[in-house]
Amino acid sequence: MKELLAAPKLENFKNGEFSKYVRTLLELSNEQNLDAMELTSYKNTLVSEYDAFKTVYKKNRGSILTPELAMMDQYRDNGLKLVQRGVKLIADFAKNEKDSKQANMLYKVFSKHGYKIYDMAYNQQGGIMDEIIEEIEETPELRTAIEELNQRKYFDEMKQAHLNFDTVYKSRIKEQQQEQSDLSITELRKTTTKALRELLDWVFIRAKTKGITQFETYIGNLNALTEQYNLSIERRLSNKSDITQELDDDFDPSQGE
């Protein structure tokens, strides 16, 4: 199949990427005469499975990932960046040696968890920020450094933004749990994936048995779509982005529609 039809690396697709990919693939399929290709039944099965997946997926995202939550996450990220980058600038450029040492001590609390904590998934970032705040507040030397470097105002703003986000996020999680469908998003994705792979398998089989010419445009479009997504996934993974929790992704109202 590899030499004729590109295989999507579905195991690495986030739910949003998976939803967009399937939707676009179906749109490309609708442009073809699938009856003549003897592929209509496979496409219809995929449509049915995808509709079920999309319904629950959009419901879950609508419950958890709202514009309000995205805005609060941005406030939290900005607060984190302000403190983290502020103490780094003091550590690098302060003329006073004591200031530099205190700032370095504070910066190490952040950097031991990574340099781009604000790019992590919601749950992961929340846990790390809990640890950072707790360590600074419970360590006398770090508390003193925050005060003497005039970072208390910004540290408190970061804490409050984190608390505000955490409160709303937990509320969204509870809402989603109460409204959870009997069919989980994981199971629905599995059945949709199965239908998708079956359609692609039969595109390959029909092309091999009926002749490539009739399928050339269709396969060319599918390959262009798949290769574009595979390349995008490779780039994301090379940046070590978190892919374990799609519901931890930042809000994107266009996903899954």
Side-chain angles (χ1 to χ4, degrees):
M1 184 169 165
K2 291 181 180 179
E3 74 277 5
L4 178 64
L5 195 60
K9 300 176 181 179
L10 298 175
E11 66 278 4
N12 291 326
F13 283 26
K14 295 181 182 180
N15 282 336
E17 293 165 333
F18 177 77
S19 182
K20 288 180 180 179
Y21 175 80
V22 176
R23 181 185 64 199
T24 307
L25 182 144
L26 287 171
E27 290 171 354
L28 292 173
S29 299
N30 289 335
E31 297 173 359
Q32 304 299 316
N33 185 352
L34 296 190
D35 287 338
M37 298 178 181
E38 300 179 21
L39 295 171
T40 301
S41 63
Y42 305 107
K43 189 267 289 188
N44 289 343
T45 298
L46 177 57
V47 169
S48 178
E49 297 293 352
Y50 174 61
D51 283 346
F53 166 84
K54 183 173 63 174
T55 298
V56 175
Y57 170 63
K58 290 178 70 176
K59 181 178 179 181
N60 286 354
R61 288 187 70 85
S63 174
I64 294 181
L65 298 174
T66 63
E68 177 192 16
L69 192 62
M71 179 181 68
M72 289 186 171
D73 180 52
Q74 186 64 57
Y75 291 155
R76 179 176 69 166
D77 289 346
N78 290 345
L80 171 63
K81 292 175 184 177
L82 184 59
V83 177
Q84 183 180 19
R85 294 176 182 179
V87 296
K88 184 65 166 67
L89 286 172
I90 296 172
D92 289 346
F93 300 110
K95 184 177 181 180
N96 185 285
E97 184 178 356
K98 179 183 177 183
D99 289 348
S100 179
K101 287 182 177 180
Q102 285 182 318
N104 266 309
M105 181 172 57
L106 280 170
Y107 186 67
K108 287 179 181 179
V109 177
F110 293 89
S111 61
K112 70 181 178 182
H113 296 288
Y115 296 100
K116 292 187 177 181
I117 302 168
Y118 42 82
D119 284 342
M120 295 177 178
Y122 283 163
N123 286 339
Q124 187 179 10
Q125 179 178 344
I128 286 175
M129 289 191 67
D130 284 342
E131 292 180 17
I132 290 171
I133 292 169
E134 182 178 343
E135 182 172 352
I136 291 175
E137 290 187 324
E138 294 185 358
T139 306
E141 294 84 358
L142 295 174
R143 287 202 312 270
T144 299
I146 283 288
E147 299 291 346
E148 294 186 352
L149 295 176
N150 298 314
Q151 297 298 307
R152 170 56 65 182
K153 173 184 176 181
Y154 303 115
F155 180 75
D156 287 345
E157 288 179 358
M158 181 190 76
K159 278 175 52 182
Q160 189 60 52
H162 175 54
L163 176 62
N164 292 344
F165 172 88
D166 208 37
T167 300
V168 175
Y169 183 63
K170 288 176 182 177
S171 175
R172 296 290 184 270
I173 291 291
K174 291 177 181 178
E175 287 176 13
Q176 191 226 1
Q177 184 177 8
Q178 292 170 354
E179 299 177 3
Q180 187 68 39
S181 168
D182 291 337
L183 290 173
S184 73
I185 193 71
T186 301
E187 291 304 314
L188 289 169
R189 174 161 169 171
K190 286 180 180 178
T191 57
T192 305
T193 297
K194 180 180 177 181
L196 171 62
R197 292 200 184 280
E198 187 169 17
L199 172 60
L200 294 178
D201 285 345
W202 280 101
V203 170
F204 174 78
I205 293 169
R206 294 287 191 246
K208 282 292 191 179
T209 57
K210 294 170 70 69
I212 302 298
T213 303
Q214 181 182 359
F215 294 81
E216 188 172 3
T217 300
Y218 187 30
I219 288 177
N221 290 339
L222 293 181
N223 282 347
L225 173 69
T226 298
E227 289 164 3
Q228 179 185 34
Y229 269 76
N230 284 347
L231 179 60
S232 175
I233 300 303
E234 288 177 8
R235 287 173 176 168
R236 173 165 57 75
L237 293 180
S238 68
N239 290 328
K240 298 181 180 179
S241 300
D242 184 84
I243 64 168
T244 59
Q245 293 268 356
E246 163 62 15
L247 290 178
D248 287 338
D249 293 342
D250 288 340
F251 179 77
D252 179 355
S254 69
Q255 288 192 343
E257 295 181 352

